[in-house]
Amino acid sequence: MTTPTSPLVSVGSANVLIAGGGIGGLATALALAKRGFASEVLERRPAFGEDGAGIQIGPNGTRILEALGAAEFLRPHATTPDGLRIRDASSARVLATFPLGSWLAERHGAPYWAAHRRDLHSALLAAAEREPLIRIRTGVEVGAVHEQGRHVVAGTATGESLEGDALVAADGVWSRLRGRAFDGDTPDYTGKSAVRAVIAAYDVPPALQANKVQLWLGRKVHVVHYPVSAGREVALVAIFDDEHVTSDWSAPCDPAWVDARTAAFAPLLRELLAKPAQWRHWSLMGLKHAPRLAHGRIALLGDAAHPILPFLAQGGVMALEDAVVLARAFSNEPAHPERALQAYAEARAARVGRVGAASRKNGRIYHLAGPPAFARNLALRFVPAETFMRGYDWLYGWTLPE
Ligand SMILES: Cc1cc2nc3c(=O)[nH]c(=O)nc-3n(C[C@H](O)[C@H](O)[C@H](O)COP(=O)(O)OP(=O)(O)OC[C@H]3O[C@@H](n4cnc5c(N)ncnc54)[C@H](O)[C@@H]3O)c2cc1C
């Protein structure tokens, strides 16, 4: 049992318990440490190790990685795509190319990166491991949590009982703590699933080798690919309507399944999608009702709080934003964790709601069919590229609290 002290300023004690050592959990520990608060990250998996998949990190996220000290570890492995190229999946016709790269970096003072998830997680972990205020434990599954006086008590699957002054549940979209501490919903299947793979860059057909995020739009389906691992690899993701649900990050998916669903695609795209020897399958989940983000000394963060569909490439970045806002709230109210968590909840609700809605809207637009798809393609061809990107200033221009 750890011995907490209040207020939340003592160095070396695990004042804040964090359930989950994913992007959100590690970022929260880092953000708290930067403000002088100690935390203990409890990760269910026996060891860290991310399955192959890519992640895009907009300027609102890279700015946070810089502030948390993780950017220096990720930079050598990340890529900075110079643009977003959108094509029609059945004809391969280019519909539009929008600027990323130096244009976006100059506009927002931070770059747009693409990375292997493994490299992002390792960077956060490396930054966390050098912080004396952070303790990380693997193989610890938090099963229950309750408040007891001025403390929070977390019970683990092995029967340990851990005490903290507050607990942050960053245990992902399938969060058990959301249900237990907040009466939150179990996630609902959206009817869409993603298949993901990472291939060697030299396997990409020459006509598609480019330092770009490439997005292909089809009927009820889209495909995205972009360079990761400092350009040595390319991450692929395809999102389809699908009746098959899985809660496993790494459920293998037979290439024949992908092949059968992409028969109507242009030969160039089919050639690319035929490259992975194995795909991984991930069901896209949502919550019917947004849960409260804070209840007394317990808060939800990242996908546990707001699973955001991946049509805007922002779910992980929202977890990073949550982390710095939560840490800021603690430094405003070091002696009152419940007030701090309430302020965090109030500060985040509108932002994550807006980003979630924008992502769902993108999903509807991406998967249009028939005349609406024709109208979309026409609009994409004629909208001025920089005007289009300026429409995302509200998203990428988000800045850290002081
Ligand atoms: C197809 C797809 C593409 C995506 N692309 C992007 C993108 O380009 N950009 C972007 O920003 N986001 C993207 N996302 C979203 C992003 O992956 C998630 O938003 C992000 O992983 C959320 O991080 P998290 O830390 O909240 O949750 P997770 O990454 O799920 O981490 C939760 C952690 O908690 C641990 N855990 C679970 N239960 C317990 C427990 N009881 N006790 C202890 N530990 C526990 C888990 O093992 C895990 O390590 C994408 C998502 C998908 C599905």
Side-chain angles (χ1 to χ4, degrees), residues 214-225:
Q214 302 194 55
L215 165 65
W216 302 70
L217 303 179
R219 185 176 175 277
K220 296 185 179 176
V221 56
H222 77 278
V223 176
V224 186
H225 52 100

Side-chain angles (χ1 to χ4, degrees), residues 244-277:
H244 174 59
V245 193
T246 171
S247 61
D248 186 351
W249 253 115
S250 53
C253 176
D254 187 348
W257 187 90
V258 178
D259 188 56
R261 282 167 186 253
T262 53
F265 285 2
L268 184 57
L269 180 54
R270 277 176 68 74
E271 188 185 342
L272 174 71
L273 297 178
K275 295 293 180 185

Side-chain angles (χ1 to χ4, degrees), residues 19-25 42-45 48 50 54-57 117 140-143 170-173 176-177 194 196 226 237 239 249 282 284 301-304 308 310 313-319:
I23 296 168
L42 308 166
E43 167 55 45
R44 162 175 78 178
R45 287 175 289 164
F48 287 116
E50 291 285 319
I55 189 159
Q56 300 173 64
I57 312 163
R117 279 184 68 92
V140 182
E141 177 168 359
V142 180
D171 52 341
V173 64
R176 287 169 68 187
L177 299 179
R196 306 161 106 178
Y226 46 85
V237 56
I239 298 186
W249 253 115
W282 177 250
L284 301 182
L301 183 141
D303 275 11
I308 289 176
Q314 280 283 326
V317 176
M318 285 304 107

